[in-house]
């Protein structure tokens, strides 16, 4: 006999903004502005100089299609951190046009939707990115947890936060979200 388990989120809902979400960036190997852009995205920077490095790389440097797509993702991540969701989404769109198999473009596009409280669209994009494969799936599961919680699906949100925590046991954000839940067995 299968047991039903219900989940109740305690306290205020999770911060449903991109500040609470996690962005996945891409490593670009090499030198110059594309490398500076990559480093900035990986290190969590949010400054305009980092965005400018990405723009310079896209305008001036000769990049193969993978590095060009990844540089668009990295610039989008930087813009997303600045809460410039439309500009970020345009970069993720460019990245997925260049390389349709780049999962990070989809999960980050999904994160912009989560940041704008467009949760259903966020889940759809994150699911697509996870299906393609991403470097940091724990971030995708965390963001999907935020989206599912925003949709009122606490069971799915709990599962997503739990999966994020399993994949990155030292990352505190999913543990913080999980601590708000109480598991009730009927």
């Amino acid at each position: 006999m299968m047991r039903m388990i219900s989940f109740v989120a305690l306290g205020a809902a999770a911060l449903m903004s991109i500040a609470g979400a996690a962005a996945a960036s891409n490593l670009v190997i090499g030198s110059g502005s594309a490398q500076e852009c990559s480093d900035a995205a990986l290190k969590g920077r949010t400054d305009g100089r980092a965005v400018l490095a990405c723009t310079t790389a896209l305008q001036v440097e000769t990049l193969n299609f993978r590095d060009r797509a990844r540089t668009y993702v990295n610039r989008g991540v930087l813009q997303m951190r600045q809460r410039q969701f439309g500009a970020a989404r345009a970069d993720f769109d460019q990245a997925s046009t260049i390389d349709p198999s780049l999962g990070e473009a989809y999960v980050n596009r999904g994160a912009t939707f989560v940041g704008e409280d467009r949760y259903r669209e966020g889940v759809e994009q994150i699911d697509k990115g996870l299906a393609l494969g991403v470097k940091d799936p724990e971030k995708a599961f965390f963001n999907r947890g935020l989206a599912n919680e925003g949709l009122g699906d606490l069971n799915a949100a709990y599962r997503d936060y739990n999966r994020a925590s399993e994949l990155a046991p030292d990352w505190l954000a999913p543990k913080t979200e999980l601590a708000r839940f109480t598991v009730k067995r009927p």
Side-chain angles (χ1 to χ4, degrees):
M1 181 173 171
M2 184 179 209
R3 281 184 170 224
M4 293 294 293
I5 299 175
S6 63
F7 300 91
V8 178
L10 300 175
L15 177 62
M16 293 296 175
S17 71
I18 209 59
S25 54
N26 278 284
L27 178 63
V28 176
I29 305 297
S31 59
S33 296
Q35 181 62 46
E36 182 181 347
C37 170
S38 175
D39 290 343
L42 290 168
K43 292 178 181 171
R45 288 176 45 194
T46 60
D47 56 284
R49 182 169 176 247
V51 174
L52 180 60
C54 300
T55 301
T56 300
L58 291 165
Q59 291 175 346
V60 176
E61 293 180 11
T62 303
L63 302 170
N64 65 41
F65 85 97
R66 283 185 185 88
D67 283 348
R68 178 165 292 283
R70 290 175 177 147
T71 300
Y72 273 112
V73 167
N74 289 334
R75 186 173 72 175
V77 165
L78 295 169
Q79 292 170 327
M80 186 169 49
R81 288 180 187 144
Q82 295 174 344
R83 301 186 61 78
Q84 296 177 9
F85 299 122
R89 202 164 28 255
D91 278 350
F92 302 139
D93 291 346
Q94 272 299 119
S96 60
T97 297
I98 294 167
D99 185 356
S101 68
L102 185 58
E104 279 78 4
Y106 298 94
V107 297
N108 283 305
R109 185 182 301 116
T112 66
F113 287 132
V114 173
E116 295 176 319
D117 300 337
R118 294 167 59 183
Y119 305 121
R120 191 157 318 284
E121 292 163 288
V123 169
E124 290 169 4
Q125 290 298 304
I126 293 167
D127 285 347
K128 187 180 271 189
L130 282 168
L132 290 169
V134 292
K135 177 181 63 154
D136 298 316
E138 67 276 4
K139 294 176 182 177
F141 282 106
F142 181 82
N143 289 337
R144 194 172 72 182
L146 291 173
N148 278 320
E149 191 166 355
L151 290 169
D153 189 344
L154 297 181
N155 291 343
Y158 181 87
R159 286 191 305 272
D160 285 337
Y161 294 140
N162 194 55
R163 184 71 178 129
S165 183
E166 289 171 353
L167 290 169
D170 294 332
W171 188 25
L172 294 179
K175 289 178 182 8
T176 300
E177 298 306 320
L178 286 168
R180 297 181 306 102
F181 285 79
T182 300
V183 179
K184 293 185 177 182
R185 299 184 193 280

